[in-house]
Amino acid sequence: MDFPTACPACHREVRVEFTDSAVHDLSCSQCGSRFCVFVRKHKFEVLFDLGTRALMDGYAREAVASFAASLERFFEFYVRAYALERQAGTEGGFGAALKAWEGTWRHVSSQSERQMGMMALAYLLREGREPDFLTPKALGVDFRNRVIHRGYLPRREEVDAYAARVFALIDRLLVELGEGAVHAELAQEQAFAAHLAALPEGVTAVFEEHPGMFRARRFGGTLGGKRALPGKTAPPLNDAQAFARALTERGPLLATFRKSGER
Ligand SMILES: [Zn+2]
């Protein structure tokens, strides 16, 4: 997936391939200046947006893999946020908490079953409830496996339903996480700061925020536009409606963003 950015010296538009680290060391092909673009976005968001773009472009089957990966990375995001939240303010501070987290995650990073175990416990400890969403049915495991591992060609409506389910689950957990998500944000900022400190002289740092399907939630807005008035409860949206509405509201932003380089 790539995104458009502008050279800070000559303003020429540059297409950049999104990196795994969200840090992009670049040099302008026109004026030669060097710059570094930091994108404030998490892996689960990038993957979900990638899936949404694939879906909008008619690549429904390909979208499934991105949505499935997005959910797995979201669980990692949740566990990280919770672990850092718990350790915030303890001796050694954020740096020590982050180091302990990284060392711990290494034990589970190559096995998604282990990560699910971490997610189950993190949710139980944080919310005091059973993680009701971890059943194969709720996660759409059978559908995902058929598509990814057995070459099943899904109908568009099946992929829409799967996307809606993943979207609703991530959205719900983001709401529950609330301010807790800040700790995971901070971890990304720390990684950026370390890279920034090591940049050679003469390299311009550029920080970017991009549109995305979960952006409104992360910046304290509400999905579906207006906040409900006090005392008036908005009729609840089902999963399909919530996803369809987010797609209507934010899908065009993703599309505009992608197309700005094609002008
Ligand atoms: Zn330039």
Side-chain angles (χ1 to χ4, degrees):
M1 180 165 77
D2 60 5
F3 63 92
T5 189
C7 165
C10 72
H11 308 293
R12 177 180 180 271
E13 189 179 276
V14 184
R15 299 296 300 183
V16 185
E17 197 174 12
F18 207 101
T19 62
D20 202 68
S21 63
V23 175
H24 311 80
D25 291 301
L26 305 164
S27 57
C28 176
S29 60
Q30 184 161 287
C31 72
S33 29
R34 293 170 67 198
F35 57 109
C36 181
V37 178
F38 299 87
V39 181
R40 290 193 168 106
K41 201 166 189 178
H42 293 281
K43 188 71 73 62
F44 78 89
E45 298 179 276
V46 175
L47 288 164
F48 198 93
D49 291 347
L50 194 58
T52 303
R53 274 161 58 160
L55 200 57
M56 293 192 307
D57 287 347
Y59 297 100
R61 187 178 187 283
E62 288 74 7
V64 174
S66 294
F67 292 132
S70 173
L71 186 57
E72 286 193 357
R73 296 291 52 85
F74 176 75
F75 286 164
E76 177 183 351
F77 176 87
Y78 184 101
V79 179
R80 180 169 62 232
Y82 172 63
L84 295 175
E85 179 184 38
R86 259 182 77 96
Q87 286 198 268
T90 56
E91 207 178 327
F94 191 77
L98 194 57
K99 200 158 176 279
W101 153 260
E102 282 165 356
T104 304
W105 189 256
R106 216 170 290 138
H107 297 294
V108 307
S109 62
S110 58
Q111 282 163 279
S112 59
E113 286 299 317
R114 289 183 174 188
Q115 295 172 19
M116 292 274 262
M118 297 271 269
M119 180 64 201
L121 186 64
Y123 188 83
L124 170 67
L125 293 178
R126 191 172 192 276
E127 302 296 329
R129 283 196 302 274
E130 176 194 341
D132 58 342
F133 51 86
L134 283 183
T135 63
K137 190 164 181 284
L139 297 176
V141 170
D142 182 55
F143 173 73
R144 184 200 67 191
N145 288 345
R146 265 191 298 150
V147 173
I148 295 177
H149 300 303
R150 279 178 264 148
Y152 173 63
L153 296 178
R155 296 192 312 277
R156 167 68 194 249
E157 69 217 54
E158 290 177 289
V159 179
D160 279 342
Y162 179 69
R165 179 177 293 215
V166 172
F167 180 80
L169 177 54
I170 293 178
D171 187 55
R172 167 195 149 181
L173 292 170
L174 275 177
V175 171
E176 291 182 357
L177 201 51
E179 289 296 306
V182 168
H183 299 273
E185 314 259 318
L186 207 55
Q188 185 175 55
E189 290 300 320
Q190 284 238 330
F192 287 176
H195 192 90
L196 185 65
L199 283 182
E201 218 170 305
V203 178
T204 311
V206 180
F207 288 84
E208 293 189 3
E209 302 267 357
H210 292 173
M213 292 290 279
F214 295 106
R215 288 277 108 177
R217 179 66 77 204
R218 288 189 52 225
F219 288 100
T222 53
L223 287 173
K226 283 183 206 131
R227 222 174 262 275
L229 293 169
K232 265 194 188 173
T233 317
L237 297 176
N238 67 32
D239 293 359
Q241 289 167 333
F243 178 66
R245 194 180 272 192
L247 201 57
T248 310
E249 288 178 358
R250 270 164 270 149
L253 289 175
L254 293 182
T256 310
F257 195 65
R258 171 191 49 193
K259 290 205 175 96
S260 68
E262 295 165 8
R263 263 182 258 140

